[in-house]
Amino acid sequence: MTFSNSDPVHVAFAGLDLHGIYISGSDGNAVVKLSSGYNICVPEVLCTPAPECSAAQPHHAAAEPLKQDANLPLLSIISTGGTIASTVDYRTGAVSSKFTAEDIIRSIPELAGIARYHTAQPFNVLSENMNPAMWQELARAVRDEIAAGAAGVIVTHGTDTMLYSAAAVSFMLTTPVPVIFVGAQRSADRPSSDNAMNAICSAKAGVSDLGEVVVCMHATSDDVECALHRATRVRKNHTSRRDAFQSIGRAPVGMVSYPDGAVTLGKDAVLRGTHELRLLDRLESRCALLQYYPGMDPAVFDAFSGYAGLVIAGTGLGHVGTDCIAKIAALTAAGTLVVMTSQCQAGDVCDRVYETGRDLLDAGVVEGGSMLPEVALVKLMWVLGNTTRREDAVRMMQTNLKGELDYDLGREM
């Protein structure tokens, strides 16, 4: 008997009659996902068709159109790939992006009771393969969905670089509706997967009163609530925990409880309808991020000759070794806008306290305040893509545009 992926099967094994879904087969063996959520590998001869897999139901029947409630608000799901849209490749044991936005809706039936959906997939990549050109394409796709009438947009994305993409869209797009970036730390085929809860909470946030770009992920390791993190103040702080994402230096702008889906917004959350839709999607890609470390060879800075911008993640208040200052001065003299941030999780850069900091200011370095280094890089790309004069770029970098700073840096501290 030949089975196709997703065929229901019975497995007679070790005196048990098990029910599951056929996933793959090779060399006479079959991988079957049991109804418990666990996978087993058994000789394929032990598998027989379940009643749902009779001859009256063809193996390759086309998927039925999604049934949607016309009375519910319209959400758009833009799928870019990542773990939330991934499964295991049983040939290699690796996780790869395979599911489309429609696959996600079909696999999480609870979504159908929250909204009706339009889906789009501008590309399908693991997040380490994202780049600034894809950020631009993504921002345009989100703009198009909102302009077409979406009450909110959900962007499914790999978690490793989701903070970069979310920040980039936040700077490029002014939105009147929620734009929710969501991912998963564990793929859908794992019993501990967080994909379903994260997706459900993101849909609830998508129909809420929110009006800005956020990241929606588990708030704790338990299935209790998801946090809504402002796109310009979030960081992934753990490689694999379900609550890896944390707001840095402030509380999340909202919470979504589970399973009831109640959305609670903080007092500083931007509300739906506050802004009109606007897209400014120019980026200057010749920018870089460099983390300073003790003993760094000043020649490292030579690699950034000709760059339009450089963000340095310095120590403490925003310092580097004094032997690096001459190289930085040469960069700024040649036209590179150099922005100083801190490796610390919280607090402001202030290069006016110690002698090294004053020398950095004399070398032309711009203070980045409380901006996270990754966010400062994305903002610098956007600022330099939309300005021509250095003084305008400096002013914009030191102005709180999307909640990335605690206050405008021109203000007295």
Side-chain angles (χ1 to χ4, degrees):
M1 177 76 187
T2 300
F3 296 100
S4 299
N5 182 270
S6 298
D7 279 345
V9 293
H10 281 140
V11 180
F13 178 71
L16 300 174
D17 186 20
L18 306 172
H19 180 75
I21 299 296
Y22 182 89
I23 295 176
S24 65
S26 63
D27 300 326
N29 294 315
V31 176
V32 177
K33 176 178 285 296
L34 301 178
S35 55
S36 65
Y38 286 89
N39 299 339
I40 60 172
C41 181
V42 295
E44 195 159 29
V45 296
L46 301 181
C47 299
T48 57
E52 301 93 324
C53 190
S54 64
Q57 181 178 1
H59 292 310
H60 303 290
E64 293 183 4
L66 288 170
K67 295 179 180 179
Q68 306 203 56
D69 186 344
N71 296 316
L72 292 174
L74 175 65
L75 291 180
S76 292
I77 296 182
I78 298 177
S79 177
T80 68
T83 300
I84 194 169
S86 294
T87 186
V88 168
D89 184 336
Y90 289 94
R91 297 168 300 169
T92 65
V95 174
S96 59
S97 268
K98 294 184 181 298
F99 294 164
T100 66
E102 286 203 3
D103 291 328
I104 295 171
I105 297 171
R106 293 180 193 280
S107 65
I108 306 174
E110 294 90 340
L111 293 175
I114 301 171
R116 53 193 172 93
Y117 301 90
H118 178 261
T119 63
Q121 188 173 35
F123 39 79
N124 185 16
V125 297
L126 295 175
S127 70
E128 59 265 28
N129 296 317
M130 293 289 288
N131 58 51
M134 289 180 176
W135 298 339
Q136 292 173 302
E137 188 176 354
L138 179 56
R140 293 165 192 152
V142 174
R143 184 273 313 271
D144 291 346
E145 295 297 318
I146 297 171
V153 178
I154 299 169
V155 180
T156 66
H157 197 289
T159 60
D160 283 352
T161 68
M162 183 157 59
L163 68 95
Y164 289 90
S165 297
V169 170
S170 182
F171 286 118
M172 286 188 281
L173 186 74
T174 300
T175 175
V177 304
V179 177
I180 317 294
F181 277 74
V182 64
Q185 287 287 84
R186 300 172 188 178
S187 55
D189 63 306
R190 296 178 61 182
S192 60
S193 177
D194 53 338
N195 77 319
M197 176 176 155
N198 291 349
I200 293 167
C201 289
S202 69
K204 287 290 188 177
V207 298
S208 74
D209 290 333
L210 192 67
E212 62 177 301
V213 183
V214 298
V215 170
C216 177
M217 294 289 288
H218 265 59
T220 70
S221 59
D222 297 324
D223 292 340
V224 176
E225 58 185 354
C226 279
L228 302 176
H229 306 284
R230 177 162 286 147
T232 57
R233 294 301 309 179
V234 63
R235 177 176 279 168
K236 182 178 179 179
N237 283 339
H238 196 278
T239 59
S240 58
R241 283 178 63 101
R242 300 198 295 177
D243 59 347
F245 281 77
Q246 302 291 329
S247 289
I248 304 300
R250 63 191 69 177
V253 297
M255 304 294 290
V256 186
S257 61
Y258 184 82
D260 65 280
V263 178
T264 304
L265 298 180
K267 62 181 181 180
D268 64 332
V270 179
L271 299 181
R272 180 185 291 274
T274 300
H275 300 293
E276 294 184 357
L277 180 63
R278 186 184 183 202
L279 178 70
L280 291 173
D281 61 356
R282 293 186 296 273
L283 294 176
E284 170 55 75
S285 62
R286 294 176 303 127
C287 295
L289 170 60
L290 176 66
Q291 176 156 315
Y292 174 77
Y293 56 88
M296 175 183 284
D297 187 340
V300 169
F301 288 92
D302 293 338
F304 304 103
S305 176
Y307 274 54
L310 174 65
V311 174
I312 301 173
T315 64
L317 291 171
H319 295 157
V320 298
T322 54
D323 56 350
C324 294
I325 295 176
K327 289 289 188 180
I328 294 173
L331 284 175
T332 62
T336 302
L337 186 61
V338 179
V339 177
M340 182 64 71
T341 62
S342 176
Q343 298 168 17
C344 297
Q345 288 275 64
D348 292 296
V349 164
C350 183
D351 283 320
R352 295 179 295 281
V353 176
Y354 296 101
E355 181 180 359
T356 298
R358 296 194 197 99
D359 290 342
L360 284 165
L361 292 176
D362 290 340
V365 166
V366 176
E367 292 176 309
S370 59
M371 274 189 292
L372 302 177
E374 307 95 317
V375 173
L377 170 64
V378 174
K379 182 179 181 180
L380 185 59
M381 289 180 175
W382 182 78
V383 165
L384 293 178
N386 290 278
T387 57
T388 56
R389 301 191 308 167
R390 174 184 168 85
E391 55 265 37
D392 291 336
V394 171
R395 174 181 53 79
M396 291 176 68
M397 286 301 298
Q398 295 192 324
T399 299
N400 181 32
L401 300 176
K402 294 297 178 75
E404 71 281 6
L405 288 165
D406 293 329
Y407 48 80
D408 294 345
L409 298 182
R411 199 176 76 184
E412 288 297 322
M413 300 180 66

